[in-house]
Amino acid sequence: MRTKQAVAAAAVLLALTATSCGDGGSPSDSQSSQAATGKNGGQAGSGADGNGNTGADGGVEATLAKVADADELIQLISNATTCEYESTEPEDTIFGDIDGSSPESAAAEMAKTNEAWGIKERATCDGIDGASSNGHALVVVSDMARFQAAFKARQEADLAAGEGDVRTRWFVGQNFAARIYGTDSDERDMLSLGVLGLNCAPNYATPPNSTTQDALVGGCILTNFVDA
């Protein structure tokens, strides 16, 4: 698995840099350095498979890592950060960035929310200090374009309400998305798993020494810059 993740991370960086050059940018190193790869879960992408993947001609998205299911996503994330006491139970997988701030209504509306966001499976595991309040938000996605559109709408609404975060906090693969609650180093280590940061904040700009590409949804970008 170590070789697969090394290939995934290298492929993403090469594709992102090549795309940036093709858009008139210049290749450069990421401010967030590529960390040593882990040993479990995930694989480099090479084409579409009907599970949220974009296809061989889908740009950098097709080079991102993909997972078979929530269990494999948990294994993958554990290579970058603490991931203890994993769960896929609905009561444990209510995520504020997706479901809002009311746990009661979120639980009742989860099936509808999953449909709206293109979410196939949910999972969580505890991050910093093993505290449940720091549980990672992990989702396997059946429709990445739908997920990004819903993510954009939520981020814009939160920002308009003065409650949002313009920083890049979510990472996406071909068919999964994750927000981790770890150290700054953990967030940088996520890039070694073959993922990129997703940001849809209006007027968000990354530093000159990072690389970006348009995401599947207009107004969103994929980037190798981590706002740590």
Side-chain angles (χ1 to χ4, degrees):
M1 289 295 185
R2 181 181 295 273
T3 300
K4 287 182 178 180
Q5 286 179 225
V7 170
V12 170
L13 184 60
L14 286 172
L16 193 60
T17 302
T19 303
S20 297
C21 292
D23 290 339
S26 59
S28 58
D29 295 332
S30 167
Q31 178 170 318
S32 305
S33 59
Q34 296 291 337
T37 58
K39 61 183 179 180
N40 299 315
Q43 57 181 308
S46 58
D49 65 0
N51 290 311
N53 304 330
T54 60
D57 59 351
V60 71
E61 290 92 347
T63 71
L64 299 176
K66 60 183 177 181
V67 295
D69 51 31
D71 288 337
E72 189 168 290
L73 177 53
I74 290 171
Q75 293 176 6
L76 181 66
I77 297 303
S78 69
N79 291 291
T81 185
T82 302
C83 189
E84 300 178 336
Y85 311 111
E86 61 268 15
S87 174
T88 57
E89 295 298 321
E91 61 267 24
D92 298 327
T93 54
I94 297 172
F95 306 132
D97 287 354
I98 294 173
D99 301 298
S101 58
S102 174
E104 294 78 13
S105 62
E109 297 292 323
M110 186 171 288
K112 184 184 296 183
T113 301
N114 286 348
E115 175 67 20
W117 283 68
I119 294 173
K120 183 178 180 181
E121 298 180 71
R122 295 183 182 219
T124 189
C125 53
D126 295 345
I128 298 175
D129 300 325
S132 59
S133 59
N134 292 314
H136 306 312
L138 314 174
V139 293
V140 180
V141 176
S142 60
D143 187 333
M144 184 56 72
R146 186 183 302 179
F147 178 86
Q148 290 182 14
F151 178 87
K152 178 185 179 184
R154 172 56 58 85
Q155 188 172 31
E156 289 178 343
D158 287 346
L159 289 171
E163 302 172 351
D165 190 344
V166 299
R167 296 172 297 177
T168 301
R169 286 291 178 258
W170 279 83
F171 299 90
V172 296
Q174 283 194 44
N175 67 339
F176 65 87
R179 176 171 182 173
I180 68 166
Y181 292 85
T183 65
D184 291 350
S185 177
D186 290 345
E187 290 194 326
R188 293 189 181 97
D189 286 351
M190 286 290 292
L191 296 175
S192 72
L193 306 181
V195 303
L196 289 170
L198 172 67
N199 198 309
C200 302
N203 304 316
Y204 177 80
T206 59
N209 61 339
S210 62
T211 50
T212 64
Q213 178 184 307
D214 290 341
L216 296 175
V217 172
C220 298
I221 62 167
L222 300 178
T223 179
N224 65 350
F225 175 71
V226 177
D227 291 288

